[in-house]
Structures are given as structure tokens and as C-alpha cells.
Amino acid sequence: MGFRNNSVLITSATEVAVVANGIADVYDAGGGSHAYVIANGKVGNDSFVNFGSDDSILNGKKIFDGNGDGFIAFGPNGVLDIDRSSRSNAGEDHFQIVGENENAILLLRYLGEKGGNHVYADAGTLFTLFDTFGEANVIEGDVSNDIIDVSGGQKIVFHDNGLGLNLGSDTVTGFGDDDLFVTTRKLFDRDGDNTVTFGGNAVLDTSGTTGPSSSDPSKGPGGQVNFTGITGLAYLGSSEVDGTTYYYYGTATTTADPVI
């Protein structure tokens, strides 16, 4: 088993620079996956519209997380204090984020750091799985190299490859018939037989936001996953919730019910 170099963060998303010009810019996230890279310095009170489940915020420093739970709740004024350094210091720059349905997004989830950028995305994508399978049963890695143990009861491994980011070189142990691997872009199936086999390196190369593509096994824009003990995944179907499509995979002898 061997991983390739998965150190490049933005692979298939459109990179957008949020410039430090000190004015109130409006960024339109409609039409595909966008990775908004926040510049150092005073960027201004910016707005993001049509922000979807496949869009992300990349910041050079961690956004203040008062209780350290990995979720960033916006203030009662509905804005994100991107520069907040403490409960009493909100910083200079404040963002408003509005979803594709014109509803304000008020909660982001933290997806780790790679290459000097800290990654954030809409928490609602993950909360849908919490609501269906239970928060304690859902595990999401981040953009670093994760080791995920799913032994001991049903677990849902969430791989949000629709973000268009490389989610790292991950290892999943204990994946059994009751477990599910859930993605937001379908995985490349060479034979179209609903069985995704692993390559000669024995790892899964995942698709990016524009996938699946025949180049996925050689490029793996979504990252790579080593499932110890199995050699492939069975495609079990998909469902759409609030504009996000979830794709479900399990073992060839799965007993899991993937329906949301």
C-alpha cells in the first residue's frame, strides 16, 4: 500500500482570492465549487451569496472557537467575525454568508489545516448525517492524514469530496458490513458494475467536485483512503437533501440501510 503526495489542498474547486482592500466586496459562489482564500490584512466587511455545500472558506489562522467543538457559530447579528481573537475582541473584518436558498448560513464546521490554510465549510452538510444516523455514529476526517477506527457498531465515514479539496491520505480500520462510506460526489466505477475496486496500491482514489472522472485513479483529486481488510466498495445508491446529494458505499455483503 502506498499513498501519493496529497499535500496540495485545492484540487478541483475554483480558487477565489478574497483581497485585503478594506472595502465591502460581494462574492457570488453560484455555479460550482469555490474555495475562498482570505488574504492577510484588512479585507473589509464582505458578503458571500449563493454559498453552497460545495464551497469553503480558507483562512491563514484558525477562527476563534469559544468552546473548541470545531463548529463556528455566528453572532446574534448574523455575521462571522473572521478576525475574532477572544470573546471580547471581534476584530476588524466581518462576513455575511448567504446560502443558495437565500437563507443565512450561521454555522461553519472546521476541517483542519493544510499548507498554511485553515478550512471551513457549511455545518449543515454534516448535520444532515447526524440527524439520520446519530452524531456519535458519524465520523468525518479533515484535510490532513487521518486514521479512522470504525470498529464497534455501525459507523458512517463522511468524505466531503464535493468541496473540491484534497482530503488527505486517510486510513480506515475495522470497516464492516454495517458501516457506510458517504461521499458528496460519486466515485469512479471503471466497469459500471456498482463495484469500486482499489488500484494496485490497494487504496481508494476519490473523485473531486467535477467527478467522477476516468483520471480519478491516477490523480485522486479528493484524496486517498486505505480501507484495511477490504479490496473494494459496493455502491448502494444516493439521496438528495437540501440541495446536497449523498452517495453511499458499503462492503459487498453490506447489511447497512443507506436511506436518508
Side-chain angles (χ1 to χ4, degrees), residues 65-243:
D65 181 358
N67 60 5
D69 65 352
F71 295 100
I72 309 300
F74 297 10
N77 57 356
V79 300
L80 171 65
D81 302 320
I82 192 75
D83 298 326
R84 180 177 288 278
S85 59
S86 68
R87 294 187 185 278
S88 59
N89 185 358
E92 292 184 300
D93 300 318
H94 315 282
F95 291 169
Q96 183 178 43
I97 304 178
V98 179
E100 294 169 323
N101 55 4
E102 298 187 0
N103 291 330
I105 292 175
L106 301 175
L107 189 69
L108 299 178
R109 72 191 198 277
Y110 180 54
L111 288 170
E113 180 271 338
K114 180 182 286 186
N117 279 308
H118 295 269
V119 181
Y120 298 86
D122 184 7
T125 316
L126 180 61
F127 275 44
T128 294
L129 298 178
F130 285 175
D131 291 343
T132 304
F133 299 104
E135 182 175 351
N137 300 320
V138 179
I139 303 172
E140 181 181 27
D142 58 26
V143 295
S144 64
N145 302 330
D146 303 300
I147 298 177
I148 301 172
D149 182 7
V150 297
S151 57
Q154 185 186 48
K155 295 293 186 293
I156 313 302
V157 180
F158 183 41
H159 186 82
D160 196 0
N161 55 333
L163 291 171
L165 306 176
N166 187 304
L167 300 175
S169 306
D170 296 343
T171 298
V172 176
T173 63
F175 194 87
D177 290 346
D178 57 345
D179 300 316
L180 290 171
F181 183 64
V182 181
T183 68
T184 47
R185 292 295 185 272
K186 198 172 184 181
L187 302 176
F188 178 68
D189 177 1
R190 186 181 303 278
D191 301 322
D193 61 356
N194 290 329
T195 299
V196 178
T197 56
F198 306 158
N201 58 357
V203 302
L204 170 67
D205 303 281
T206 69
S207 54
T209 194
T210 58
S213 169
S214 60
S215 63
D216 291 340
S218 62
K219 295 184 178 180
Q224 295 181 294
V225 185
N226 171 32
F227 290 88
T228 62
I230 62 173
T231 59
L233 292 171
Y235 174 58
L236 306 176
S238 67
S239 63
E240 182 178 334
V241 182
D242 295 332

Side-chain angles (χ1 to χ4, degrees), residues 234-253:
Y235 174 58
L236 306 176
S238 67
S239 63
E240 182 178 334
V241 182
D242 295 332
T244 300
T245 302
Y246 298 85
Y247 300 88
Y248 309 101
Y249 297 86
T251 67
T253 53

Side-chain angles (χ1 to χ4, degrees), residues 7-19 27-40 48 51 54-60 114-117 119 162-166 209-210:
S7 61
V8 174
L9 176 57
I10 303 172
T11 51
S12 53
T14 298
E15 181 175 348
V16 180
V18 177
V19 296
Y27 296 89
D28 190 341
S33 171
H34 299 82
Y36 290 98
V37 182
I38 314 302
N40 291 325
F48 301 81
F51 194 92
D54 55 358
D55 298 312
S56 59
I57 298 288
L58 279 55
N59 200 36
K114 180 182 286 186
N117 279 308
V119 181
L163 291 171
L165 306 176
N166 187 304
T209 194
T210 58

